[in-house]
Amino acid sequence: MVRQAMMVAALLMAAPAVSAATPEDYKRSLGLREAQMYLTENVVDQAAWAPDGGAFHYRKTVPGGFQFVTVQPATMAKQPAFDQARIATAIGKLTGQTYQPLRLPFASFRYGAGNQSISFTAAGTRYSCNLTSYTCAEPAAAPGRPRAFGITRDMSVPADNTARTSPDGRWQAYTLDSNLMLREVATGAVRLITRNGSDGNFYDPETIAWAPDSSRFAAYRVVPGYQRQVYRVQSSPPGGEIKAKLITQLYPLPGDTVDLERPVVVDVASGAATEVVSSLFANPYSMSPIKWRADSGSFSFAYNQRGHAVYRLVSVDGRTGKASAAVEEKSDTFFYAPRHSYHDVSNLGREIVWMSERDGWNHLYLIDGKTGRTKKQITRGDWVVREIVKVDDEKRQIWFAANGRRKGSDPYLQHYYRVNFDGTNLVELTSADAFHDVAFSPDMQFYVDTYSRNNMATVSELRRGDGSLVSVIERGDITKLVAAGWQAPENFVAKGRDGRTDIWGVIVRPRDFDPAKKYPVIENIYGAGWDQFVPKKFWPFGFHAGGDEVVGMQSLADLGFIVVQIDGMGTLHRSKAFHDHTWKNAGDGGAPDRILWHKAAAQKYAYYDIDRVGLYGGSAGGQNTLNNLLFYPEFYKAGVSYNGCHDNRLDKVTWNEQWSGWPVDESYSKASSVDNAWRLKGNVLLVIGELDMNVDPVASMQVVDALIKANKTFEMLNVPNGDHGVGRTDGPMDYVLARQYDFFIRHLQGVQPPNWNAITDATPPAAR
């Protein structure tokens, strides 16, 4: 702490000869999040209900931090969810860290049985704390064989071969030497069910699923995928270790062979094992866990075909093993399975509530589960269903979240609705023009509606199932925040490349903004297809690499920039055609739409310097950053790329085959920052975390190699021990973010940043 205080004092005293920003400006910008984050009161997170529905809880801001609150809906009585001081002490004993009671290292939790314990995740680790003794423990890791990115089993780890007991308790199924076994519990008698299992074609015990009547069970037989290993070198291990360490990771790439699963159904009485004919699922990218129907007559699984253009709900007759397609989706581009959901009505396979974009917008359909034909399109229109929240099979009603249905409003604002199976009686349950997060009680008699906008603090209300208001729970107070200089971003809309579609974004100006000046512009970019990214809710203080939350954009703007963020075509929650711009087009990132948006802003605002535009982003946003410099050099002049997935052939199979397809073709090279590095005309800073376990740092290093071969100049910062988030805050400031500031001040303002090396630290580091 003394060393850091001395460094900060030196920063404040030093004044570089030529600079638009002083060390004091840096200190103010880098400290903005901490300075403003604790100035609000009663700004809440989404609520969560106890399993028995007797109470709900949430986190809210209070002076100096956050408080967890539990509410009894019958009386609206509020009380602390637990003793935060004791929890802080208990977690500290377990982790060796010190935590303030109002700044616990988690934002949400779940109550255990009888509300006598809580569980939560902090720094990627799951913890459980007893609320009587106030002791915390890290639960033992669940047994089982992990799958790299959820796709390829790690064959170096044994599978969990715990015997799976039948619902009636009479039988146990497990494996021995890769074959299925069946044990009678009462007698201990064992039967060998299969004899053809092997290491390279085994029956997976973790996939065993029993029919409700215990007459049969099913499991997947698996041919394991390619065990590709990638490597990280930890150059500077913490704790004084001098020698580097090698870290190995199972990391399947696009085009690699993935696990091949084949369902097998076993009849307990006869011991016969029937392998299901695979014609309907011959080339799987993934197959969901086996799920038996309530009558034990059949089971189902979802099949996502390699290439993501075919998706089926496959139904299998439990007696014969005959497979049929209960529902099928086909696309000329891609089917986005991570957003998809469905509901098997009464779990009988006769009717399926199904989500589909088959009419160009994501909607709900009622499907005949026997024929696959559409019985009814439940919702329709130029708007998007986001989530099936609840289905009541007896009342034949569906609760769901959607956006874009309100004409004249921001199309990304989420609302909640209820509708009948036949599409009648569509009821909007949320009324305020805002983004709503709703938590329904288990019996659906009440719900907590928490809503806000990026320019409006949160309001939380308890409502009855019919939508009528019970009570306002909390109303966010941002008086002190506004007094401290906080200002909401401006929501700005312009037409996209087709001249018709609205493209939404935000503009953040310096807090000392002078409209008579001309400001360079920096775009915070993330143009990937898995979501939309412009902030819609009120919480400007989340933290990510590059400072891409609102307060991070404000911090950068305060150094003399206009900072913007835009959802171009190719991002989620609009039409299917809007989303399809991502397909085999990773080099685009919505750039034509975003450039038009910039030009519209410059036409409206004289201070908006369209000739000095830069950008920054991380991960896919890092790829977008560099690709925009490569493919649109006439517009973008400088960029900071954090851990970019610069060549989709070098990045994980899951993400990249979703957008670029399978097999690997020329579209991968077309979008590659490596293959197109020779195009660079602007200035780039490549920031790499050497321990990034999400995006292999090799992608960035191959960009470096290509730039050198093309005789291009560039800047690079390889961060020891940096992960996907990259940042380093173990010095007197956030080192990586400060280097981003330096870069943009040099290349967009045309002046030199502070001369940090002239500010010396008189205290040498401790010897290793």
Side-chain angles (χ1 to χ4, degrees):
M1 294 298 294
V2 173
R3 174 174 175 263
Q4 291 193 10
M6 292 173 64
M7 286 290 289
V8 170
L11 292 176
L12 296 178
M13 293 172 61
V18 179
S19 178
T22 67
E24 186 174 13
D25 294 327
Y26 273 65
K27 180 176 181 291
R28 183 173 57 249
S29 282
L30 292 170
L32 185 60
R33 179 177 182 267
E34 182 69 19
Q36 291 191 346
M37 187 171 178
Y38 305 106
L39 296 179
T40 70
E41 295 185 46
N42 304 324
V43 172
V44 300
D45 296 329
Q46 183 177 4
W49 287 83
D52 62 5
F56 59 87
H57 64 269
Y58 55 88
R59 186 183 74 153
K60 71 173 185 176
T61 59
V62 294
F66 302 89
Q67 183 180 57
F68 291 93
V69 179
T70 292
V71 180
Q72 308 293 328
T75 62
M76 292 305 297
K78 300 178 183 177
Q79 63 185 43
F82 47 81
D83 188 324
Q84 293 188 203
R86 295 183 71 184
I87 286 290
T89 300
I91 303 171
K93 288 181 179 178
L94 186 63
T95 64
Q97 303 293 319
T98 300
Y99 301 103
Q100 298 179 40
L102 294 182
R103 302 188 189 184
L104 296 174
F106 57 93
S108 62
F109 70 90
R110 289 185 179 182
Y111 278 118
N115 297 346
Q116 297 303 302
S117 65
I118 61 172
S119 61
F120 55 86
T121 298
T125 301
R126 193 73 181 166
Y127 297 98
S128 178
C129 296
N130 184 287
L131 296 183
T132 301
S133 63
Y134 277 89
T135 56
C136 295
E138 181 180 339
R145 176 176 282 152
R147 301 190 192 191
F149 299 103
I151 297 299
T152 303
R153 290 167 172 81
D154 185 346
M155 299 304 295
S156 68
V157 179
D160 175 16
N161 199 20
T162 303
R164 272 65 177 177
T165 303
S166 61
D168 64 8
R170 292 183 59 197
W171 307 97
Q172 291 181 328
Y174 61 100
T175 65
L176 179 65
D177 295 332
S178 301
N179 280 294
L180 290 170
M181 307 292 292
L182 188 64
R183 178 190 297 120
E184 188 174 21
V185 174
T187 66
V190 173
R191 280 187 283 170
L192 177 63
I193 300 299
T194 64
R195 290 177 170 81
N196 58 353
S198 66
D199 289 346
N201 196 354
F202 61 90
Y203 295 89
D204 186 350
E206 297 181 359
T207 66
I208 292 171
W210 278 96
D213 68 359
S214 303
S215 64
R216 301 173 184 86
F217 68 90
Y220 283 130
R221 190 178 181 189
V222 181
V223 177
Y226 177 56
Q227 301 287 291
R228 181 182 295 279
Q229 304 291 330
V230 300
Y231 307 97
R232 314 285 192 279
V233 174
Q234 187 177 26
S235 64
S236 309
E241 176 64 47
I242 295 177
K243 296 180 180 179
K245 295 181 179 180
L246 180 67
I247 298 172
T248 304
Q249 180 187 13
L250 180 64
Y251 196 98
L253 296 178
D256 283 353
T257 302
V258 298
D259 290 357
L260 179 66
E261 297 179 321
R262 295 285 186 263
V264 175
V265 59
V266 176
D267 180 80
V268 172
S270 66
T274 303
E275 186 164 323
V276 181
V277 175
S278 64
S279 56
L280 287 173
F281 46 90
N283 184 23
Y285 169 78
S286 65
M287 290 168 49
S288 70
I290 292 166
K291 181 181 179 182
W292 282 89
R293 266 58 182 268
D295 62 2
S296 298
S298 63
F299 62 86
S300 67
F301 57 87
Y303 162 71
N304 188 6
Q305 186 165 292
R306 196 80 186 262
H308 300 277
V310 177
Y311 191 88
R312 294 188 182 103
L313 180 64
V314 178
S315 180
V316 178
D317 188 299
R319 295 174 297 277
T320 66
K322 183 179 179 180
S324 60
V327 197
E328 180 177 86
E329 294 284 338
K330 291 186 176 181
S331 173
D332 293 332
T333 55
F334 60 87
F335 180 83
Y336 189 44
R339 193 258 297 267
H340 178 263
S341 62
Y342 68 92
H343 174 79
D344 189 335
V345 178
S346 300
N347 193 25
L348 292 172
R350 298 168 187 164
E351 292 181 308
I352 310 292
V353 175
W354 186 258
M355 186 182 287
S356 173
E357 290 182 301
R358 58 184 62 177
D359 77 344
W361 299 83
N362 203 47
H363 281 297
L364 300 178
Y365 294 78
L366 186 64
I367 306 294
D368 186 319
K370 301 300 182 183
T371 67
R373 295 173 182 164
T374 300
K375 297 179 68 173
K376 180 70 178 180
Q377 182 170 349
I378 301 170
T379 61
R380 66 175 67 244
D382 294 352
W383 49 280
V384 173
V385 173
R386 295 171 73 116
E387 178 189 8
I388 298 173
V389 177
K390 166 76 174 179
V391 179
D392 188 317
D393 295 328
E394 293 184 3
K395 294 181 179 179
R396 296 180 71 80
Q397 291 180 325
I398 307 162
W399 287 257
F400 65 93
N403 63 265
R405 190 170 179 271
R406 286 189 166 200
K407 303 306 177 186
S409 179
D410 183 333
Y412 293 101
L413 297 181
Q414 177 173 273
H415 289 268
Y416 285 74
Y417 302 85
R418 184 183 64 240
V419 68
N420 293 336
F421 277 19
D422 62 4
T424 62
N425 196 29
L426 178 62
V427 177
E428 185 178 54
L429 299 172
T430 50
S431 57
D433 186 33
F435 190 103
H436 295 258
D437 286 310
V438 168
F440 290 93
S441 62
D443 62 6
M444 303 300 288
Q445 295 302 303
F446 296 95
Y447 60 90
V448 178
D449 180 11
T450 302
Y451 58 90
S452 67
R453 294 191 306 269
N454 57 21
N455 56 9
M456 183 188 83
T458 58
V459 177
S460 185
E461 301 171 338
L462 179 65
R463 292 183 176 269
R464 300 179 184 88
D466 62 5
S468 59
L469 179 66
V470 176
S471 177
V472 175
I473 304 166
E474 304 283 0
R475 191 179 297 276
D477 183 348
I478 59 173
T479 304
K480 295 178 182 177
L481 180 65
V482 173
W486 180 84
Q487 54 191 25
E490 176 191 349
N491 294 300
F492 187 81
V493 185
K495 296 301 180 185
R497 71 188 78 178
D498 60 4
R500 302 186 307 274
T501 303
D502 284 341
I503 303 297
W504 286 70
V506 292
I507 299 174
V508 177
R509 300 172 180 83
R511 285 179 294 165
D512 61 355
F513 173 69
D514 181 352
K517 292 183 178 180
K518 199 84 167 176
Y519 291 90
V521 178
I522 301 174
E523 180 183 342
N524 165 21
I525 184 172
Y526 200 98
W530 68 273
D531 209 336
Q532 61 82 207
F533 306 98
V534 173
K536 299 298 176 182
K537 296 189 284 187
F538 183 86
W539 188 243
F541 306 113
F543 181 77
H544 300 284
D548 67 353
E549 73 294 342
V550 172
V551 75
M553 290 190 279
Q554 186 66 68
S555 299
L556 182 55
D558 285 352
L559 295 174
F561 302 98
I562 300 297
V563 184
V564 305
Q565 189 175 24
I566 312 159
D567 280 320
M569 290 187 184
T571 49
L572 193 57
H573 300 312
R574 301 287 288 275
S575 69
K576 172 63 172 167
F578 191 100
H579 199 197
D580 275 350
H581 281 276
T582 297
W583 178 241
K584 292 185 179 295
N585 196 26
D588 181 301
D593 313 298
R594 294 183 288 99
I595 290 172
L596 289 171
W597 188 98
H598 280 288
K599 291 179 177 178
Q603 186 173 11
K604 182 176 181 179
Y605 299 120
Y607 58 78
Y608 198 104
D609 192 341
I610 200 70
D611 294 320
R612 289 186 292 164
V613 181
L615 68 171
Y616 70 92
S619 193
Q623 181 182 23
N624 297 148
T625 295
L626 182 51
N627 277 356
N628 276 251
L629 292 173
L630 300 178
F631 297 125
Y632 302 93
E634 73 287 350
F635 188 80
Y636 291 105
K637 303 303 190 296
V640 180
S641 171
Y642 289 87
N643 282 332
C645 37
H646 295 298
D647 191 307
N648 303 98
R649 295 165 295 192
L650 298 172
D651 194 23
K652 52 200 166 291
V653 62
T654 46
W655 175 275
N656 297 281
E657 286 192 8
Q658 175 70 68
W659 312 119
S660 298
W662 177 91
V664 174
D665 61 15
E666 68 281 356
S667 66
Y668 283 80
S669 175
K670 182 181 177 181
S672 169
S673 305
V674 179
D675 291 354
N676 291 281
W678 60 272
R679 300 176 184 272
L680 183 66
K681 293 183 179 179
N683 296 288
V684 65
L685 167 61
L686 298 168
V687 183
I688 309 166
E690 70 174 7
L691 296 186
D692 185 350
M693 307 302 282
N694 187 333
V695 174
D696 190 349
V698 162
S700 292
M701 293 309 298
Q702 288 196 12
V703 168
V704 169
D705 182 61
L707 290 171
I708 291 172
K709 290 176 180 176
N711 196 31
K712 298 291 183 177
T713 58
F714 60 94
E715 298 176 45
M716 181 180 73
L717 176 59
N718 194 350
V719 182
N721 296 312
D723 58 15
H724 198 54
V726 189
R728 283 289 295 267
T729 57
D730 50 353
M733 64 171 69
D734 186 324
Y735 183 87
V736 178
L737 204 52
R739 298 293 75 76
Q740 173 181 297
Y741 295 170
D742 290 347
F743 178 86
F744 284 129
I745 285 172
R746 282 199 312 273
H747 293 294
L748 293 181
Q749 292 181 353
V751 297
Q752 288 300 310
N755 182 1
W756 301 106
N757 289 348
I759 305 168
T760 59
D761 181 3
T763 305
R768 290 187 292 170

